[in-house]
Amino acid sequence: MKIVLLEEKTVSQGDVSLDEFKALGEVTGYPLTPQDMVAERVGDAEAVIINKTVFTREVMKKCPKLRYIGLCATGYNNVDITAARELGITVCNVPAYSTSAVAQQVFSYVLHFASRTADYNADVQSGGWIRSDTFSYFTIPTFELSGMTMGIIGFGSIGSAVANIARAFGMKVIASTRTPKTAEDVTFVSTDEVFAQADFISLHCPLTDKTKGLVNTEKLRLCKPTAYIINTSRGPVVNEHDLAKALNDGIIAGAGLDVVEVEPMKADNPLLGAKNCIITPHVAWAPVQTRKRLISAAADNLRSFINGTPKNKVN
């Protein structure tokens, strides 16, 4: 089987081996692939492994031997699933591989806002403690998480993991979800109630027509002025102009974001420089152990397809 890896650089910087794919066929790999070269590079390959490359009906039609699209990702909105099904192309993703890593990232933002460790370190490094006339000075406000409310929108594997960590900190957990669920010590409420009641609002919903722009001026005005928004799901779930205005106007206290609407981020993104806004470059999923797990799962998906028993099909 001819296999093409179109985006090696998006899953490995040389620190994670991609050799598992080589055991499955004749592999050709590219660090990155411009969109206008996708069909050309796929050529007569039967399988392609991608991350964020867009596969439209037009691209698929130009790849007549293509029978498998394997995603090194959970999301698959970059693939025309209907076209793939109609053209007899199997599409498989890797669900739940990054649950622990993303939940950890959520709490890196939470702890940043609560304990201000980086801010205190910066102050100490600039001589603040040396100049202090007391053994301890607390000029930067901090707060305890115990007793506060974590609000979760979307209660899949990551949302559930965030809830577990929040409870370990003594937080109350409320959540909203599109499908009825139950979970220990979690109160399920409406989305509006999450915005109105939570001290931290963590987004874990998929990007759909209904969730696009979910965080907007209307919802932000429901929030406490001390509330924080955290987004590790998909950038377009947040209306960036509305969030930037809410931050700058003091409608909410802060935001921690790992995703933005257009990635890589553009220079005119309104969240750049917004008050108390922490932004990381879509790295919540990227610890080395997580990426090793991802590659192994993606290779196993392809192996299962070759053996006639595809798994994690999304079409």
Side-chain angles (χ1 to χ4, degrees):
M1 170 178 277
K2 287 188 176 182
I3 305 164
V4 177
L5 312 181
L6 289 178
E7 304 174 76
E8 292 180 338
K9 190 176 179 180
T10 66
V11 293
S12 177
Q13 305 287 325
D15 55 347
V16 174
S17 173
L18 303 177
D19 287 348
E20 285 191 65
F21 293 109
K22 294 180 181 178
L24 302 175
E26 178 188 337
V27 174
T28 301
Y30 300 94
L32 295 170
T33 297
Q35 190 60 39
D36 60 0
M37 295 184 66
V38 172
E40 177 186 337
R41 288 187 173 178
V42 173
D44 62 352
E46 299 160 87
V48 63
I49 305 298
I50 64 171
N51 190 332
K52 295 294 183 284
T53 297
V54 176
F55 263 79
T56 62
R57 182 183 297 271
E58 180 183 6
V59 169
M60 293 179 209
K61 284 184 173 180
K62 292 178 180 178
C63 308
K65 292 190 177 182
L66 186 63
R67 290 293 173 264
Y68 179 86
I69 298 174
L71 287 139
C72 287
T74 300
Y76 49 87
N77 55 297
N78 51 316
V79 178
D80 186 332
I81 297 299
T82 301
R85 182 172 55 249
E86 292 173 358
L87 294 169
I89 301 171
T90 297
V91 182
C92 297
N93 73 337
V94 181
Y97 74 93
S98 62
T99 297
S100 295
V102 176
Q104 173 180 305
Q105 185 83 359
V106 168
F107 270 84
S108 75
Y109 304 128
V110 172
L111 291 169
H112 166 81
F113 292 124
S115 298
R116 306 289 291 275
T117 307
D119 296 331
Y120 268 115
N121 175 64
D123 187 74
V124 169
Q125 296 296 336
S126 67
W129 205 0
I130 295 169
R131 294 188 297 270
S132 175
D133 59 0
T134 62
F135 77 97
S136 167
Y137 65 100
F138 28 89
T139 54
I140 304 172
T142 60
F143 52 84
E144 291 184 358
L145 295 177
S146 181
M148 301 188 84
T149 298
M150 170 61 76
I152 300 169
I153 298 177
F155 205 77
S157 61
I158 299 174
S160 178
V162 169
N164 290 339
I165 299 171
R167 289 198 301 270
F169 275 102
M171 300 180 78
K172 174 185 175 182
V173 180
I174 60 175
S176 69
T177 179
R178 58 182 175 174
T179 54
K181 292 185 179 179
T182 58
E184 184 179 357
D185 295 327
V186 177
T187 302
F188 289 89
V189 298
S190 70
T191 300
D192 281 359
E193 288 175 296
V194 171
F195 279 101
Q197 297 176 22
D199 297 295
F200 290 90
I201 300 159
S202 193
L203 306 173
H204 300 288
C205 48
L207 177 61
T208 66
D209 290 341
K210 289 185 178 180
T211 62
K212 184 176 183 180
L214 172 67
V215 178
N216 53 42
T217 296
E218 178 184 358
K219 291 291 191 286
L220 290 165
R221 289 192 178 280
L222 298 174
C223 295
K224 304 174 184 179
T226 53
Y228 297 85
I229 298 289
I230 297 172
N231 188 17
T232 55
S233 59
R234 290 291 182 265
V237 171
V238 172
N239 181 311
E240 294 175 344
H241 288 276
D242 288 1
L243 178 57
K245 189 174 191 311
L247 290 166
N248 292 330
D249 291 350
I251 302 299
I252 62 171
L257 311 170
D258 190 51
V259 288
V260 293
E261 188 168 355
V262 178
E263 298 174 350
M265 176 183 265
K266 302 300 182 184
D268 61 353
N269 188 299
L271 292 167
L272 279 174
K275 290 182 180 178
N276 211 20
C277 186
I278 303 299
I279 304 173
T280 51
H282 204 146
V283 294
W285 67 282
V288 64
Q289 301 98 320
T290 313
R291 286 182 288 118
K292 286 179 179 179
R293 186 182 307 121
L294 170 64
I295 295 305
S296 290
D300 190 49
N301 279 350
L302 178 54
R303 186 180 301 109
S304 297
F305 172 77
I306 293 170
N307 292 336
T309 56
K311 60 184 179 182
N312 295 320
K313 284 182 62 177
V314 297
N315 67 334

